[in-house]
Amino acid sequence: MTKSPRILVIGYCYPPTASPEAFVTAKLLRNIPECEIDVLTLEDGLVSDYCDLEMGRYAEGINGKVIKVTPSWLTKKLCRIPRLPLRPDRWLLANRITKKQALKLDPASYDCIVTRSQYHSAHLVGLSLKRKFPHLPWIACFSDPWSGSDHQQSVPLFSRYSKLQENRVLKNADFLVFPTAGLLQHMTKGTKDLTKKSTVIPHCYDVELYGEREASIASSAKVDQTELQWRIFGSFYGNRQPDILIRALSLLQVPNNKKLQIEIYGAFHEKYREFEQFNQTHANCKIAHMGQIPHKSALRIMQKSDLLIVIDSTELSESFYLPSKIIDYFGSGTSILAICKQGTVEEITTSRNQHVANIDDVNSITSAMFNILNQHKRTPTHNSSDKTYAATEVGKNFLSLIKRNSKKND
């Protein structure tokens, strides 16, 4: 093995393509020390129409190369059909050309293969390479459930195919990585062989992306402001919907001496059409959709907010998701309100003495908002001694995993 492990990372989300998974991956790879890392990904704009050039430059700062695959014209057209009922996803159509490009890179020259996915089918490229190079260590990283996800509809035949492929990935990967213990349990079902080769490595934030971080954290702790700005970052989709937020704000009694502005950053949602009517009937509380903005700009705005709100999944009785936005919130140091069920988001939010409301109870949400408006002191999330989600710490943990699962152990 070379002095520095050589790693080939295969994932379909990587900046400048703008998506939570792309940013999560870039922050991790930028902060894995002592490694040479090459990234094999799809061409810009294929997974997401929005490109973030600033994060693209950040992501190119890895110690290695970024190789982009250009599928055929027909494949690109099909991959852009949002409701194409393929499972695990429509980017399954790009697997063949991605595998072909991976083989050109000579996988045997690497010490380890890493595949990354929300529910994207990049893991199937890893599965194919593992069959061809059985002695090449393979780490499969899941950010979300793959088949059987609560935000994907079941499609006859395709969903069954996806489940079979998921089982093959879980069985054949040398190691499995999940961002939460709940997702690990959900995916492995407590199976001894799978659990033994699994670990939890959370998403992370990179302090270098925040700019004037300490000054913003100090500013966010000020009290007794009359004009407050609460912000939400991210898109609503599947069972994550803005209805409960609008209902709670409709019931909220904002004190006469305060004005509250709610800003939502992300893709447009049909429910946002109701904001104009809401704003006409609420004197001290306004809601605005601000559109999608570059990630670094979003991080800077997070720091200048009075409160950041995260709305978790409503489907599961106990949520195991780790929304990357809440990790970005932690990095900003700004106060947080998590609207969620029992589970991961509730646990990590309360552990930082932040605010939690029950997503199934509009009165719980309104009560939490009212208490925040009337509190005498805000509690920033920043704690310089807590490195749990800091990219440098998470990167070191991933390096340890790589060293345990590389050719040196053959």
Side-chain angles (χ1 to χ4, degrees):
M1 188 178 75
T2 59
K3 184 177 180 181
S4 296
R6 289 193 71 228
I7 310 303
L8 177 60
V9 179
I10 304 172
Y12 288 168
C13 287
Y14 199 69
T17 292
S19 76
E21 175 66 15
F23 300 149
V24 163
T25 301
K27 291 170 193 174
L28 173 65
L29 300 187
R30 273 285 302 255
N31 287 278
I32 299 176
E34 304 172 25
C35 276
E36 295 178 23
I37 301 172
D38 290 341
V39 176
L40 182 60
T41 188
L42 295 179
E43 68 173 15
D44 301 346
L46 188 58
V47 174
S48 169
D49 291 331
Y50 187 83
C51 284
D52 188 330
L53 299 180
E54 197 171 26
M55 282 302 291
R57 291 189 291 271
Y58 168 85
E60 289 176 351
I62 57 172
N63 182 28
K65 305 185 296 293
V66 179
I67 303 102
K68 297 176 183 178
V69 175
T70 300
S72 68
W73 176 86
L74 178 59
T75 297
K76 286 193 283 189
K77 284 291 184 183
L78 291 173
C79 285
R80 290 183 180 277
I81 300 175
R83 300 189 186 279
L84 195 67
L86 296 179
R87 296 292 181 267
D89 58 31
R90 58 190 183 272
W91 296 285
L92 175 74
L93 299 171
N95 282 0
R96 184 173 176 273
I97 190 170
T98 304
K99 176 190 171 184
K100 185 177 180 180
Q101 181 62 57
L103 291 173
K104 288 182 180 179
L105 296 173
D106 186 13
S109 68
Y110 291 92
D111 297 299
C112 183
I113 297 289
V114 176
T115 55
R116 290 193 57 89
S117 172
Q118 284 175 288
Y119 49 88
H120 302 120
S121 53
H123 288 316
L124 298 183
V125 179
L127 179 63
S128 180
L129 293 177
K130 185 64 178 177
R131 287 170 177 160
K132 192 171 183 65
F133 304 93
H135 299 295
L136 180 60
W138 170 31
I139 300 173
C141 306
F142 293 85
S143 289
D144 282 341
W146 200 16
S147 69
S149 170
D150 58 293
H151 54 261
Q152 273 195 339
Q153 290 184 345
S154 178
V155 179
L157 296 180
F158 287 118
S159 293
R160 187 170 186 273
Y161 166 81
S162 181
K163 183 62 179 178
L164 290 172
Q165 295 297 78
E166 176 189 285
N167 289 337
R168 292 186 178 114
V169 170
L170 295 173
K171 179 182 177 180
N172 287 280
D174 295 284
F175 215 83
L176 305 169
V177 175
F178 306 96
T180 71
L183 182 56
L184 187 158
Q185 175 63 29
H186 173 80
M187 294 288 290
T188 64
K189 303 294 189 293
T191 305
K192 184 178 179 180
D193 289 344
L194 296 183
T195 303
K196 187 169 61 174
K197 64 177 185 179
S198 300
T199 193
V200 173
I201 296 182
H203 303 323
C204 58
Y205 61 81
D206 189 341
V207 295
E208 292 185 10
L209 292 170
Y210 286 88
E212 298 290 333
R213 189 164 177 271
E214 297 300 332
S216 295
I217 289 169
S219 175
S220 71
K222 292 179 181 179
V223 296
D224 298 330
Q225 291 175 279
T226 56
E227 296 186 5
L228 301 171
Q229 293 173 321
W230 293 0
R231 295 182 171 114
I232 301 169
F233 292 82
S235 303
F236 289 97
Y237 59 90
N239 55 53
R240 289 185 176 92
Q241 296 293 316
D243 306 62
I244 189 74
L245 173 72
I246 297 171
R247 287 169 54 204
L249 290 171
S250 297
L251 298 174
L252 180 64
Q253 296 294 318
V254 179
N256 290 329
N257 65 335
K258 293 186 177 181
K259 293 187 181 298
L260 176 61
Q261 173 83 3
I262 311 290
E263 295 179 349
I264 302 177
Y265 293 81
F268 180 77
H269 190 283
E270 283 297 318
K271 279 287 179 179
Y272 298 166
R273 300 186 191 280
E274 300 177 10
F275 290 172
E276 183 176 356
Q277 182 179 357
F278 178 97
N279 293 337
Q280 290 175 353
T281 55
H282 293 77
N284 292 356
C285 182
K286 306 296 181 185
I287 316 177
H289 174 232
M290 310 301 291
Q292 194 162 1
I293 61 173
H295 188 59
K296 287 184 71 174
S297 298
L299 296 180
R300 288 189 285 268
I301 293 172
M302 288 179 194
Q303 294 176 275
K304 299 175 182 178
S305 305
D306 297 295
L307 183 75
L308 298 171
I309 300 172
V310 61
I311 300 177
D312 198 19
S313 172
T314 60
E315 184 72 18
L316 304 169
S317 58
E318 184 166 336
S319 179
F320 48 62
Y321 289 101
L322 181 60
S324 59
K325 67 178 72 68
I326 199 169
I327 304 303
D328 292 332
Y329 288 3
F330 289 163
S332 75
T334 305
S335 295
I336 293 171
L337 168 62
I339 301 173
C340 57
K341 293 197 174 193
Q342 291 182 337
T344 300
V345 170
E346 179 191 46
E347 292 165 4
I348 64 177
T349 305
T350 54
S351 71
R352 283 161 175 72
N353 298 316
Q354 296 301 302
H355 310 276
V356 172
N358 183 350
I359 198 167
D360 294 322
D361 183 356
V362 67
N363 292 320
S364 169
I365 301 169
T366 304
S367 178
M369 290 178 170
F370 183 81
N371 290 337
I372 292 167
L373 282 171
N374 289 279
Q375 67 186 0
H376 296 291
K377 184 178 180 181
R378 295 204 297 276
T379 306
T381 62
H382 178 62
N383 181 345
S384 59
S385 64
D386 184 359
K387 305 293 185 182
T388 305
Y389 302 105
T392 50
E393 192 66 24
V394 175
K396 290 176 185 176
N397 292 339
F398 205 92
L399 174 65
S400 298
L401 177 63
I402 288 172
K403 288 183 173 180
R404 294 200 306 271
N405 293 273
S406 62
K407 286 180 181 178
K408 72 176 183 178
N409 292 324
D410 289 354

